[in-house]
Amino acid sequence: IRYSNVSLVGKGSTANLFCRGAWATYSNSLKFPGQTATIRGNCLAIGDDSGPNGADGESVSNVTITKLRLYGMTNGNTYKIGFNPTGPPLTTTGDGWDITHKGIYMWEGGTFSNILIDSVYIQDFKGENIFSGGSAVTGSIIRNCTMTNFNGDGISLLAADLQVLNNTMTYGSNAGIENATKGSGDGSLLRQIYTGNHISLMPREAIVILGVDSTIPSGSVEISGNSLDTIGQINGSAGQTGILVLPQAEGNNVAPANITVAGNTCHDCRSFAILQSSGN
């Protein structure tokens, strides 16, 4: 999607998109310039610099994606997350977190506003289901979606203003949601809201919020009314907890502030929460 004001809507209840679970070797690609790498390919890209708009196509607004079912065409979750994009994939097992194989991908370094992802079913991907690579995301909503059988995270975004509402994420190899906050620059936190989500069968965490710069955000994070089930119990690693809030490990990063955790249910979680806030 290289333009603003675009809606991609499935006809009827849903439309099926089959998204290249196979792989090929590319040289000097946009993703890996100047080198040879194995690439499966993303399913839907929001923002792109290879269209008629050139670099202006990297940032878009007012985009709706709804009533789609995205098939990653792999065996999905294997609980093994190692991946080397410049080396051969494990063709016999498909193991590994393949960073080239995402369901919905927001162009890294782009700026996005008013993005609605609604009633999308995403399954069998080797990477994240919905991802932004440090892009500035504002006024965006992910709701009523289902994500299952994946080798990465369900949702992984750095968002200034985001609502994640009434989604189901199950059977992943990492976390259900692993999002980030910033206190300064493009994408500085205004609000992130996580409400009414059901997250289950995650080996690490259900919801992770990481601070990724050295400025305490003035915005807020609300985690409320979510149902978390069987977290950190099967092939457990990392935090093994329902809700994890802390600074990202490298650099002089600080944890988010102004955190509300209320009305959540955690069933068969190794622990309910590990919270490190830089304020309230």
Side-chain angles (χ1 to χ4, degrees):
I1 297 177
R2 299 162 169 167
Y3 302 92
S4 298
N5 307 308
V6 169
S7 294
L8 180 60
V9 181
K11 185 177 181 179
S13 58
T14 58
N16 299 324
L17 297 178
F18 297 91
C19 300
R20 204 181 193 288
W23 61 275
T25 300
Y26 294 85
S27 296
N28 197 31
S29 64
L30 287 172
K31 181 68 177 176
F32 302 104
Q35 59 185 308
T36 299
T38 55
I39 298 176
R40 279 190 170 93
N42 304 306
C43 191
L44 294 178
I46 304 176
D48 178 67
D49 69 355
S50 59
N53 281 349
D56 289 342
E58 295 178 4
S59 300
V60 297
S61 60
N62 304 316
V63 170
T64 295
I65 298 173
T66 186
K67 294 185 178 180
L68 301 175
R69 188 160 186 151
L70 311 182
Y71 290 88
M73 300 177 68
T74 75
N75 62 343
N77 180 25
T78 60
Y79 292 111
K80 297 180 182 179
I81 60 175
F83 175 70
N84 173 14
T86 59
L90 299 177
T91 55
T92 54
T93 65
D95 285 357
W97 182 343
D98 188 335
I99 61 174
T100 70
H101 194 225
K102 306 182 194 304
I104 299 175
Y105 166 75
M106 298 184 191
W107 190 266
E108 294 175 49
T111 301
F112 304 98
S113 61
N114 301 323
I115 308 296
L116 173 62
I117 301 172
D118 183 16
S119 302
V120 177
Y121 198 110
I122 308 174
Q123 67 176 79
D124 309 337
F125 281 83
K126 286 297 182 187
E128 299 87 347
N129 290 265
I130 302 174
F131 176 85
S132 75
S135 308
V137 179
T138 60
S140 297
I141 301 173
I142 302 170
R143 68 186 183 200
N144 306 321
C145 296
T146 298
M147 305 165 209
T148 188
N149 192 31
F150 48 91
N151 236 123
D153 296 320
I155 299 173
S156 183
L157 304 177
L158 194 165
D161 185 8
L162 173 70
Q163 298 180 70
V164 179
L165 311 173
N166 304 317
N167 302 283
T168 297
M169 286 157 264
T170 185
Y171 193 51
S173 70
N174 204 57
I177 298 168
E178 186 170 333
N179 287 355
T181 65
K182 292 173 60 179
S184 62
D186 292 340
S188 296
L189 178 67
L190 299 173
R191 65 169 181 171
Q192 292 181 5
I193 297 175
Y194 305 92
T195 298
N197 302 288
H198 177 74
I199 304 173
S200 63
L201 294 169
M202 298 294 161
R204 300 175 63 136
E205 305 90 16
I207 299 174
V208 182
I209 309 297
L210 299 171
V212 296
D213 70 358
S214 58
T215 302
I216 298 174
S218 59
S220 62
V221 176
E222 177 186 334
I223 302 170
S224 62
N226 301 286
S227 174
L228 316 177
D229 193 356
T230 316
I231 307 299
Q233 300 282 19
I234 302 171
N235 290 289
S237 62
Q240 295 180 260
T241 191
I243 300 169
L244 178 64
V245 178
L246 77 171
Q248 196 173 56
E250 62 267 16
N252 297 315
N253 300 315
V254 297
N258 308 313
I259 310 292
T260 299
V261 177
N264 303 282
T265 300
C266 209
H267 174 262
D268 274 349
C269 299
R270 189 172 179 90
S271 70
F272 172 68
I274 300 171
L275 307 175
Q276 182 179 336
S277 174
S278 294
N280 298 321

